[in-house]
Amino acid sequence: MDMLSRTEPSFATVFEFTTMGMAIISLNGQWMKMNNSLIAITGYSEEELVNTDITTIFLPEENDKLPGHLEQLLSGDLRYFQIEQRLKSKEGVIKRVECGISLIRNSDNEPLYYMAQMKDLSIKSEMELKLAESEQRYNSLIEHNPAGIITSDLNGVIISVNPAMERILGYSKTDMVGRSIHQFWEQEKQEDPSEYLTDSVLLQTDNYMLRVTHKSGGMIELGLKNVPIIVNGITEGVYIIARDITQHNKDRESLRVAQQDLHDTVRRQQGMTMKFRQMQGKFIHTLCDGELLYRLGYKPSHILGNGLYEIWPFYMAVNIDKYYRRAWSGEENVMYEATFRGITYLTSLRPIFENGRVIEVIGSCVDITERKQMETELRETKELLESFINNTTDAICVLDQRFKVISVNSAYEKVFGWNQDELLNQLLPIYPDFLEEHRIEIHDILKAGNQISGLETVRVRKDGQLIHVSVTKTPIKNEKGEIIGFAGITRDITERKRTEELLRKSDKLSVAGQLAAGLAHEIRNPLTSLRGFLQLLQNDMKGKQHYFDIMLSELDRINFIVSEFLVIAKPEAIQYKKSDLINILQTVIALLDTQANLCNVQLLLEFESDIPEFICSEMHLKQLFINLVKNAIEAITKDGQIKITVSMQGSGMIRVRTQDNGCGIPEERVKQLGEPFYTTKEKGTGLGLMMCFKIVEAHKGTMSIQSQIGVGTIIDVFLPTQTIGKDMSEFE
């Protein structure tokens, strides 16, 4: 029966509520389903008959015909048969019934089951006969249209009449064909019958109603619908479809009273019930009442007969309209929420089918304002908690009573490398093997109900790397004080540990600076005296002037280099001014060209694009590039070349590339370059390259080093054209 309800809802309704006995019989002749009318005829309940043979209720001498007819239906020799049978009811009463049986097939013409109709012939009344006749007409809807149909030309001449119209008017087809339709459309009060035969009336497509005279002389009311007959785009005639609505109109008042009772019942409910239909492209409400309607500030009169856009604000109507359309298309259980005037309500829409099409949709609404408020508060609390947990940089995990993982936050996954799915229901794998006893000790402390706070230790990541962490763990207790789990907060303090290590390196650098300062002063003092004596001798030794010029120039160079060395111990504030990088680099080349020639190294300077002037410390940029070029010279054993290439990278960055063909640096050592006291030279200290990094950093630039053994080294210095200098105290 559920299958019939889904495929033919209107038939399912007739099956359940018709006064004629109806039943579904399996292909092997057993009762499957019967309606209340058949149960009343036989006296047996559905439970007593289901899965028993159909012949059970009939007299034995009446059962010789049924099996044979059923086989003929199954073989296709018969489409339908009807016989009179005698049965014995449960109360022992012998009844004579009229039994009609047909075979129901699916869309692939495969037999499904038998459909039986049973009428008690022991009681015959005029009302029952008419009802039976009406039910038989309904059962023939598959092959015959119950509506009366007249086919006429555009002049109103009847071309054909179907049997239903013969029954409606009482006239036979012979009486009507070839005559004008107005002869049968005579009304009780009619001035000019022909006015109903004009082209505009015959071709109108709207429903209309007429009172006409039956052949017997009585007045009947017809509901009419004209459908044009169009052939090749030309209207050649009209189908006039008629239904006898006399009884319908008589029942209207009774229906109104019943509807009033229904409305009273609906009105008293706490929610709201409504119905709507689609009329002329609009969803028109035909029913709406309930306490919720009044709480929304409406009355039924505000809703009935109106569409969505006439009732609700536009934004609400647009949203609700899509749900109405889904329900009207036949979708079951369409649900939506809406909020109006501070009230949130939930609506469930269910379509009502007739003859396989939706004729109406019924909706039921309940007030869920309080529930939504509770859901909102709960969701906000949950979101706040989740946001705190997921957005904190601390790694958080929640464990059950067995110390197995229930959940971890995203920071935990980032810090340790495992995702939540890998850790779920597992013991935490973050303890290194040498701290396994420490794990047991922590578990014992927590199981005793105590908290561990700020414990600094080490843990292992998924990749095997050890990291320094600060750990806080606490037991989770229920309202009874019982421990139901454990929570842990872990903070990665590896960077802090590295900072502490850098501070220790800074201390070493401070000592180095003091030593450098002492050494520089010891060298500088005799140089000053030497320069003074040379100036005195210069006046007495004529003809040797060029020697003195060379000696003074070289002493000035020594003095300059020593002055740069003093920067390590005695930092100076950078003097920022607009400078020309071309001049700076040309000065560096001139300064180091002699040393390069002595080492058989060629220095090349190339500018790939125009380089603008920019704000910088000229002195310290010279120091930067002198160190880089000197390092390159020292890395070349013989016949080398150092190429300095300057170019613009984008609109605001200058790249200075120093490329040599020296011995190169192992890859594992490149990462350590720039650290104090780390050097690849036999007698170096590592301070020079460290100073280079700091000078570039002070100019808000970056420096990268690439090197390959036996090929050479490339050092790229990137300097922004717009920069704000830092205080030279950062070089300490």
Side-chain angles (χ1 to χ4, degrees), residues 144-155:
H144 304 284
N145 196 317
I149 302 176
I150 294 176
T151 306
S152 77
D153 60 19
L154 295 178
N155 296 318

Side-chain angles (χ1 to χ4, degrees), residues 30-59:
Q30 293 185 336
W31 300 100
M32 294 176 61
K33 180 72 177 179
M34 61 283 301
N35 66 356
N36 293 329
S37 298
L38 189 138
I39 292 172
I41 293 173
T42 63
Y44 292 95
S45 67
E46 186 175 21
E47 291 76 14
E48 292 174 322
L49 290 180
V50 168
N51 296 327
T52 65
D53 195 84
I54 185 176
T55 60
T56 303
I57 64 173
F58 297 108
L59 297 181

Side-chain angles (χ1 to χ4, degrees), residues 274 276 283 308-309 312-327 334-340 344-347 349:
M274 64 176 180
F276 66 84
F283 293 116
L308 284 171
Y309 293 88
W312 305 108
F314 180 79
Y315 74 93
M316 283 188 62
V318 170
N319 184 56
I320 297 174
D321 182 85
K322 61 185 178 183
Y323 297 104
Y324 274 38
R325 293 186 184 279
R326 285 170 53 188
V334 177
M335 303 183 72
Y336 68 89
E337 291 182 9
T339 301
F340 185 65
T344 301
Y345 60 93
L346 175 67
T347 302
L349 302 178

Side-chain angles (χ1 to χ4, degrees), residues 205-223:
T205 56
D206 293 334
N207 296 327
Y208 61 103
M209 187 184 72
L210 286 177
R211 288 171 55 86
V212 300
T213 304
H214 192 269
K215 184 177 181 180
S216 63
M219 297 300 298
I220 61 175
E221 296 177 343
L222 298 180

Side-chain angles (χ1 to χ4, degrees), residues 615-627:
I615 304 299
C616 66
S617 171
E618 181 176 339
M619 179 187 69
H620 288 94
L621 285 186
K622 288 180 180 179
Q623 179 184 353
L624 165 67
F625 294 116
I626 287 171
N627 281 335

Side-chain angles (χ1 to χ4, degrees), residues 537-546 548:
L537 290 174
Q538 184 178 10
N539 297 325
D540 298 330
M541 298 183 67
K542 295 181 180 180
K544 307 268 185 204
Q545 185 64 36
H546 62 285
F548 292 102

Side-chain angles (χ1 to χ4, degrees), residues 495-635:
E495 288 299 324
R496 195 186 82 189
K497 292 292 185 180
R498 288 175 181 171
T499 301
E500 293 173 354
E501 181 62 26
L502 286 176
L503 289 175
R504 286 192 291 271
K505 291 181 179 180
S506 179
D507 290 339
K508 293 180 182 179
L509 182 59
S510 177
V511 173
Q514 294 172 8
L515 293 174
L519 178 61
H521 280 292
E522 290 298 324
I523 294 174
R524 197 171 194 179
N525 290 335
L527 285 177
T528 301
S529 300
L530 179 59
R531 191 176 189 280
F533 285 127
L534 285 173
Q535 288 175 332
L536 292 174
L537 290 174
Q538 184 178 10
N539 297 325
D540 298 330
M541 298 183 67
K542 295 181 180 180
K544 307 268 185 204
Q545 185 64 36
H546 62 285
Y547 293 111
F548 292 102
D549 292 339
I550 294 172
M551 293 176 67
L552 288 172
S553 175
E554 291 302 316
L555 287 172
D556 286 339
R557 284 183 59 193
I558 294 172
N559 190 52
F560 171 76
I561 293 170
V562 172
S563 296
E564 296 298 322
F565 185 60
L566 281 173
V567 173
I568 297 175
K570 186 180 180 182
E572 302 174 0
I574 298 178
Q575 298 298 318
Y576 284 96
K577 63 180 181 178
K578 182 173 288 189
S579 302
D580 187 352
L581 184 60
I582 297 175
N583 292 334
I584 294 174
L585 292 174
Q586 288 175 343
T587 301
V588 171
I589 295 297
L591 183 63
L592 297 176
D593 189 56
T594 302
Q595 182 179 351
N597 290 333
L598 292 174
C599 297
N600 293 323
V601 175
Q602 182 182 9
L603 296 181
L604 299 176
L605 177 61
E606 180 180 334
F607 295 91
E608 294 183 350
S609 58
D610 293 335
I611 307 301
E613 291 186 346
F614 68 107
I615 304 299
C616 66
S617 171
E618 181 176 339
M619 179 187 69
H620 288 94
L621 285 186
K622 288 180 180 179
Q623 179 184 353
L624 165 67
F625 294 116
I626 287 171
N627 281 335
L628 296 182
V629 174
K630 281 176 83 285
N631 287 343
I633 292 173
E634 293 170 1

